[in-house]
Amino acid sequence: MKLVFATNNAHKLREVSQTIGECVELVSLAECGVVEDIPENEPTLEGNALVKARYIYSRTGQNCFADDTGLEVDALGGEPGVRSARYATDGHDDEANKKLLLERLAGKQNRAAQFRTAIALILDGKEYLFEGVVRGSISSEPRGDGGFGYDPLFIPEGYDLSFAEMSAESKNAISHRGRAVAALADFLKQYC
Ligand code: ITT
């Protein structure tokens, strides 16, 4: 089955293509000629994922899915959450986002956090939602060169390594997106 993955983030595309399974042929936005930015101004991850998927479904008429991911930090009341991409600035400035997060957590004992991914799937006009969560904590400084975004600051529960210090396979096996994609792939089995 062909599914468009509504993302402009090449890291996400790579991660999802490693975990979605053989039943699905992933189609990128570039492959279906979508070059514009897709608006994502909803107050929740689920809302943003749905808006992105609906946009691509009406634009291309093809079955598709989108994800939205947030880093939810307990001591910050769940921030940056849905604003994770635009935490420090209006753009996607990973360095500024990580710096601001460390500043906001300075002196705080409680560094518990979670990554949460919402996936919205549109299949023949019907909408479905999937979720994946991984608990962990925020390190005191960035560690590792792998992954992307906030990965150098996130230590998943039960590990001493940050996501950026893990192999792609190890991150995918336990990550928010890996878990949400596993739920999506499980659902799609009935159509394969
Ligand atoms: P699309 O909307 O085009 O899919 P995006 O990069 O805007 O791509 P999100 O809105 O889902 O993706 O990401 C919100 C923020 O969270 C952004 O700063 C990402 O870098 C970061 N992020 C998302 N997934 C992540 C992951 O697996 N590890 C670390 N940071 C992640």
Side-chain angles (χ1 to χ4, degrees), residues 7-9 12 40 52 68-69 92 151 171 176-177:
T7 183
N8 286 308
N9 184 322
K12 284 187 182 179
E40 42 180 315
K52 287 193 265 187
D68 197 34
T69 293
H92 279 62
D151 278 345
K171 179 188 169 190
H176 45 299
R177 186 168 303 98

Side-chain angles (χ1 to χ4, degrees), residues 15-187:
E15 282 189 6
V16 171
S17 65
Q18 286 164 349
T19 48
I20 190 93
E22 286 171 5
C23 152
V24 175
E25 187 188 328
L26 277 189
V27 180
S28 69
L29 289 183
E31 282 169 292
C32 47
V34 178
V35 289
E36 68 270 25
D37 268 348
I38 308 170
E40 42 180 315
N41 299 312
E42 297 297 310
T44 62
L45 298 177
E46 287 76 8
N48 273 337
L50 272 169
V51 161
K52 287 193 265 187
R54 283 177 189 150
Y55 181 94
I56 293 307
Y57 191 70
S58 62
R59 171 86 158 69
T60 67
Q62 296 194 54
N63 289 329
C64 61
F65 68 98
D67 92 331
D68 197 34
T69 293
L71 178 60
E72 301 172 334
V73 179
D74 293 7
L76 302 178
E79 280 202 354
V82 73
R83 296 180 49 247
S84 293
R86 290 157 281 129
Y87 192 36
T89 68
D90 270 351
H92 279 62
D93 188 337
D94 285 347
E95 292 311 311
N97 286 340
K98 286 182 286 184
K99 187 165 172 280
L100 180 62
L101 181 60
L102 288 178
E103 279 167 18
R104 296 255 162 103
L105 279 180
K108 294 212 193 296
Q109 289 291 320
N110 180 5
R111 301 184 74 89
Q114 63 183 25
F115 268 121
R116 195 163 70 83
T117 290
I119 288 181
L121 166 72
I122 304 186
L123 200 60
D124 300 329
K126 279 197 180 158
E127 298 178 348
Y128 305 87
L129 281 171
F130 305 88
E131 186 189 61
V133 176
V134 60
R135 294 286 302 167
S137 62
I138 304 299
S139 60
S140 53
E141 55 183 14
R143 286 167 43 180
D145 301 320
F148 67 100
Y150 295 90
D151 278 345
L153 293 182
F154 188 82
I155 319 277
E157 222 163 62
Y159 293 79
D160 289 327
L161 300 175
S162 76
F163 268 164
E165 291 175 310
M166 292 183 164
S167 65
E169 294 71 29
S170 303
K171 179 188 169 190
N172 278 335
I174 58 166
S175 79
H176 45 299
R177 186 168 303 98
R179 287 173 175 164
V181 171
L184 169 68
D186 197 49
F187 172 82

